[in-house]
Amino acid sequence: MSNSRPRPRRGAGSGARAAGRDELVSRSLQSAEHCMRAQDFGTAYAHYLLVLSLAPELKDDVKETFQYTLFRWAEELDALSRTQDLLGCYEQALELLPDDEVICNSMGEHLFRMGFRDEAAGYFHKAVKLNPDFSDAKENFYRVANWLVERWHFIMLNDTKRNTIYNAAIQKAVCLGSKSVLDIGAGTGILRVSLVVTETVDAGLFGEGIVESLIHAWEHLLLQPKTKGENGNCEKYGKVIPASALIFGMAVECAEIRRHHRVGIKDIAGICLPTNVKFQSPTYSSVDTEETVEPYTTEKMSRIPGGYLALTECFEIMTVDFNNIQELKSLATRKPDKIGVPVIKEGILDAIVVWFVLQLDDEHSLCTSPSEESCWEQAVYPVHDLADYWIKPGDHVMMEVSCQDCYLRIQSISVFSSEHEMDVGQSSTKNKDLLSLGNEADLCSALANLQTSKPDAVEQTCVLESTEIALLNNIPYHEAFKMAMRKVLSSLTPEKLCQAVDAHCQDSEMSCGSGQNDSEQSASEPFYVLDVSEGFSVLPIIAGTLGQVKPYSSVEKDQHRITLDLISEANHFPKETLEFWLRHVEDESAVLQRPKSDKLWSIIILDVIEPSGLIQQEIMEKAAISRCLLQSGGKIFPQYVLMFGLLVESQTLVEENAVQGTARTLGLNIAPFINQFQVPIRAFLDLSSLPCIPLSKPVELLRLDLMTPYLNTSNREVKVHICKSGQVTAIPFWYHMHLDDEIRLDTSSEVSHWKQAAVVLDNPIQVEMGEELVLHVQHHKSNVSITVKH
């Protein structure tokens, strides 16, 4: 029997549904546009989601508007700390538009700001794959790749000597019967072997946790070690490569270390630094504090700008046996060892430089000393808190050495003078006794006990990054800003008032900053100066010496604000003179806005160049906002920046940027995997000491004009004349920062707190003297790329 019920016609039903869908899409689009005009981005975003899910064919028509809506809604969610909602919105958007490189890049930026660097790298990498010409995504990927895979991985993998010696020691141990497989800290994977092998050592030996790791390995993973004199099959006993280490040190004079770790001046462009303010670099730490701080920095001493002078012979600090669990356990608990080292040359005591010999077995060893050509840097312990840093033959440098917190610590550095005078550094332990030097034991003890206690004056300790200390020591920087600010303020001041300002400036320079007591100026409106430099800056206080000025600082840390207040007070500034601008704004993103008095800024100081040698992100956007906030005649500092570069041949930069083939890694094909994280830009360079051969003279590559943006060009071709034949492997670059047409700062200067950077070419280019090479320089937002045109 046939089914007599009529069947609905497909066309009619689907047509009705399509009409309904089209109506809903049309209404949703209208609602989205209405919400956009009302700046209700959350609701607009929801409407666009519905449109894209119902009508994916419209994605090309609404993509840009949808992106804008998503980004504005994400900003609101971020400001409200609604992290999960923010990430959820991006995930929804990427489900509908999985191949949208702009949304991928923006998602990565949010993740990076939240500290999820691994996840951010994935989104940046995807954005670059979707659009290889997307400069924002490329720049973001390069920056995050620098975080994820530090450049020393490439340097270490290219160190053939290190790889060969480790390989030889491993093969020897395996041949003697070691069959168990354990590699602690595999890292990039070059050491996969049938033995307990580790290279979890840093420049200070213990900083990567080798002691803790090996204690755990001996307790839970290894067979018992072979005792001395015992014979038998090695397979039955536990063994570690490296077997032991011997740590050495040397006292040095080094101006480069000094200027990055000690504030060596008392006057900065007329501003006195008070004695009750004590600046410290992060390397200075006390064992009495609960916080574990890495007590050293690292330097490649053979390449440090200006070189160094050895003030003592190298001396032995300690030995450690990695095959002795009792010795490993005792390292963190034993009392500090006291060491005294005779001085062999006179000079300024700036640091103790430390390196080690890693004894892999009784036949193979690696040395990380400054005189060795290796991938290793040395650990540097800057000297602090001496009344006099000048030492001479006959003196002894005294120190205490320990392994607290499983870091190698060198503390309580002091000098025993040949004239029987003691210069004692601030001790971070309760015991102030010094090392007994032969028959002088009683004298040392007596002198130690004669130390006078410190005065009761309250000291403000201000911890600054090494680049911030180098900036404080940069006298030309502060003098240049003072001169440039004075010129701008003078141009804005009536003639009579200008004379008063000049007289005041001369007085303040003679008295190291005498404040603002000029009665003639008090009747006028102040000039507003905003400093939005990154980190610690005394420029607002310098601005305050230049007349009736209301300076604003954008420092964030409380200790920095307290320090600036103390400096102001010491220079007789009224308390209300210096303001901290972030207290006046709701969040940091609004830092560039008008003062509450509705007065416009006379001067805005921007940080254009990072200490790494790269252009600050979003600096041109900040400059655009700043121009709108200036009074007539007001200026942004710097007003413009010129970027310079030259062509060089540098095998060092090549090896620091990527793993070179398989020969250096003993036939293991590691390069394709780790080189995914190579970046074309190498930052934090010291061009003055970089091993390289210049193949051209410096040329101007780019102009970034913050005051007159129409002078900027987004694309430029630069012809470079070749003055020496060779292979171009890199293009180092630096900047001239023009505060005005006459006053400029050079970021490659020997007193600069900035480092330099370089573009490293994927493939070297052979050039002959007399030829010309054309560079294509692209500038988009704050990102600059340099390519060689063939």
Side-chain angles (χ1 to χ4, degrees), residues 151 154-155 158 648-661 664 675 678-679 682 690-691 727-730 759-764:
R151 301 304 97 186
F154 298 104
I155 301 168
N158 283 320
V648 301
E649 179 175 339
S650 174
Q651 186 61 26
T652 298
L653 282 180
V654 171
E655 293 180 4
E656 291 179 353
N657 197 59
V659 174
Q660 304 298 307
R664 292 172 181 265
N675 285 354
Q678 75 178 93
V679 298
R682 176 80 163 89
L690 175 71
Q727 283 195 328
V728 179
T729 60
V759 173
V760 183
L761 305 185
D762 287 335
N763 299 299

Side-chain angles (χ1 to χ4, degrees), residues 103-113 119-120 123-124:
I103 295 177
C104 282
N105 181 62
S106 184
M107 174 70 153
E109 288 175 337
H110 281 287
L111 287 167
F112 186 77
R113 282 196 293 269
E119 293 82 356
Y123 282 99
F124 293 146

Side-chain angles (χ1 to χ4, degrees), residues 747-759:
T747 68
S748 68
S749 155
E750 62 179 13
V751 298
S752 167
H753 64 285
W754 290 286
K755 300 291 187 184
Q756 295 82 55
V759 173

Side-chain angles (χ1 to χ4, degrees), residues 168-180:
I170 291 165
Q171 287 191 7
K172 180 180 177 181
V174 171
C175 289
L176 290 174
S178 297
K179 301 298 182 185
S180 57

Side-chain angles (χ1 to χ4, degrees), residues 13 73 113 131 179 316 324 338 397 405 617 634 656 734:
W73 178 226
R113 282 196 293 269
N131 183 359
K179 301 298 182 185
E316 186 176 318
N324 186 326
K338 298 173 184 178
V397 178
D405 305 316
Q617 288 190 303
E656 291 179 353
W734 63 97

Side-chain angles (χ1 to χ4, degrees), residues 694-711:
L695 302 180
S696 76
K697 291 182 178 179
V699 293
E700 183 183 318
L701 298 176
L702 187 70
R703 178 184 173 112
L704 298 177
D705 205 304
L706 283 72
M707 282 296 295
T708 49
Y710 61 84
L711 294 176

